[in-house]
Every structure is written in C-alpha cells, then in structure tokens.
Amino acid sequence: MKFKNFSLRIFFGFIAPALLFSQSIVDVAKNEKERREKVKEKARIITNEILKRESKREINIIQNIYQNLEIYGIKEETKESQENQSEKKDEAYWRNLKKELEEKYRKAQEYADLLQTKLNSLWMDFYALDDPYQREQVQFRIQETTEKLEKAKDDLAKAKKELDELPEKARKAGALPGWIR
C-alpha cells in the first residue's frame, strides 16, 4: 500500500506503532506509585533520638577498645609526642635538609628546561619536514616529550612547595631560624 501523503506515512510509520505498543498513562502512574512505595519501605527516618542513641553506642565501643589496649599494656602515643621524639634534630640536620631540597629543586628546574628546549627543537623539525611519515614520527616524539614535560613541571612544583614549607616545618620543630638560611 502506497501513501501519497507524507503526513499519513509518518502517522502509520511511526506514530501508530508507538500508540499500539506503548503503555497507557494509568499503567505508568501505577508503576511509579509501586516504585515509590518500595522506596519508602527501604528508607529509614533518622530522628534526634536515633542519632543520640547511635552516637552513645559508638562512644562506648571506642572506650572499650581503649580500655582493652590499656589492660594489655599497649598505649597509644599521641601524634604530637611522636613528632617531638622524632623532631629533636640539630643544626647540621636542618642545614643538610635545606641543601638536599635546594638540590632537588635545581635538578627539577634543569630537567624541565631541558625538556622544554627539546620540545622547541622537535617543533622546529616538525615544521621543516615535508614527508608525512617523518612528520608523524616527530609528532609522536613531541607527544612523549610533552607528557614528560608535564610530569617534570609537577615534580618542580612539589620541590618548590617542599622548599617553601621548610622554614615553617623547622620553626614548629624548634629549630633556630639561622639554621635554614
């Protein structure tokens, strides 16, 4: 059967089958209502009383753990006491640490500069070549070098951050300011 009218083609080709096989609005509403009832059954309403009861139970559990640790002679050292014991360092330690961090920063800077120079050279080679195969090879090396450069810049930023945080770290550990100059 041929349809000469375009609107009839669309109606019988798309709209009529959709109407025949689609759900009615009543069915959709019924399914949605059932879904919402299932969600309500699974949902748990949390009130202030429930929160108080749960938090008291958690506190009791934590207290029992600490009591058991004390019974067996295991004591938890606080973070501050661990830092104080490990941070008793002299002038030589802080001077060496500063030298190491400065050397790490310098090497990271040199490596990033070297990669940038290499990348610039590769781009010059890329534009100087006419052969598509050679250009593809150079483009692959450009991509590798760019990835290495991004990693080197991240390492450089980390080294700079460590170097910048050293005075504060030394101050908290009780080092004299002249030890890290």
Side-chain angles (χ1 to χ4, degrees):
M1 173 167 37
K2 286 190 171 181
F3 296 108
K4 294 186 179 186
N5 191 349
F6 183 71
S7 59
L8 288 177
R9 283 187 194 172
I10 290 181
F11 178 77
F12 285 110
F14 298 106
I15 298 173
L19 291 175
L20 290 175
F21 296 109
S22 66
Q23 291 181 334
S24 69
I25 294 175
V26 175
D27 292 336
V28 172
K30 183 179 177 183
N31 290 341
E32 179 64 19
K33 186 176 180 181
E34 290 174 0
R35 186 191 66 80
R36 287 184 183 190
E37 287 175 0
K38 288 179 184 177
V39 169
K40 281 184 182 178
E41 290 173 4
K42 292 180 183 178
R44 179 178 172 198
I45 298 174
I46 299 176
T47 61
N48 287 338
E49 293 85 32
I50 293 173
L51 284 175
K52 288 177 186 175
R53 188 177 37 208
E54 293 295 321
S55 64
K56 285 180 183 177
R57 185 169 27 156
E58 289 176 11
I59 290 172
N60 290 336
I61 290 171
I62 293 170
Q63 287 174 346
N64 289 339
I65 291 171
Y66 283 124
Q67 288 172 354
N68 290 337
L69 288 175
E70 289 175 2
I71 289 171
Y72 292 110
I74 302 170
K75 292 184 179 179
E76 181 184 357
E77 294 183 10
T78 62
K79 190 175 184 179
E80 294 173 5
S81 65
Q82 290 174 353
E83 287 178 2
N84 288 339
Q85 291 174 359
S86 64
E87 293 293 325
K88 294 179 182 175
K89 298 169 177 120
D90 60 349
E91 180 179 0
Y93 169 80
W94 291 107
R95 290 191 187 272
N96 288 335
L97 181 61
K98 183 170 189 216
K99 284 180 185 176
E100 289 173 8
L101 291 176
E102 286 174 343
E103 184 68 18
K104 182 179 176 182
Y105 177 74
R106 186 186 61 76
K107 286 182 180 180
Q109 180 68 43
E110 286 178 1
Y111 186 62
D113 291 343
L114 177 70
L115 287 173
Q116 185 63 51
T117 304
K118 181 179 178 182
L119 186 63
N120 293 343
S121 173
L122 286 170
W123 276 111
M124 286 180 10
D125 291 346
F126 177 79
Y127 287 118
L129 294 172
D130 292 333
D131 184 23
Y133 177 74
Q134 289 178 344
R135 274 187 142 188
E136 185 177 324
Q137 296 302 316
V138 172
Q139 192 171 13
F140 179 72
R141 287 189 284 163
I142 287 172
Q143 182 179 1
E144 287 179 338
T145 307
T146 304
E147 290 171 0
K148 288 180 185 178
L149 181 61
E150 289 174 6
K151 186 180 181 313
K153 285 182 179 180
D154 290 342
D155 293 342
L156 180 65
K158 288 177 186 175
K160 178 69 173 162
K161 183 178 178 188
E162 288 177 359
L163 191 60
D164 290 343
E165 290 176 351
L166 179 65
E168 184 64 21
K169 181 179 175 184
R171 184 191 64 80
K172 286 181 180 179
L176 296 176
W179 291 358
I180 54 169
R181 287 190 188 163

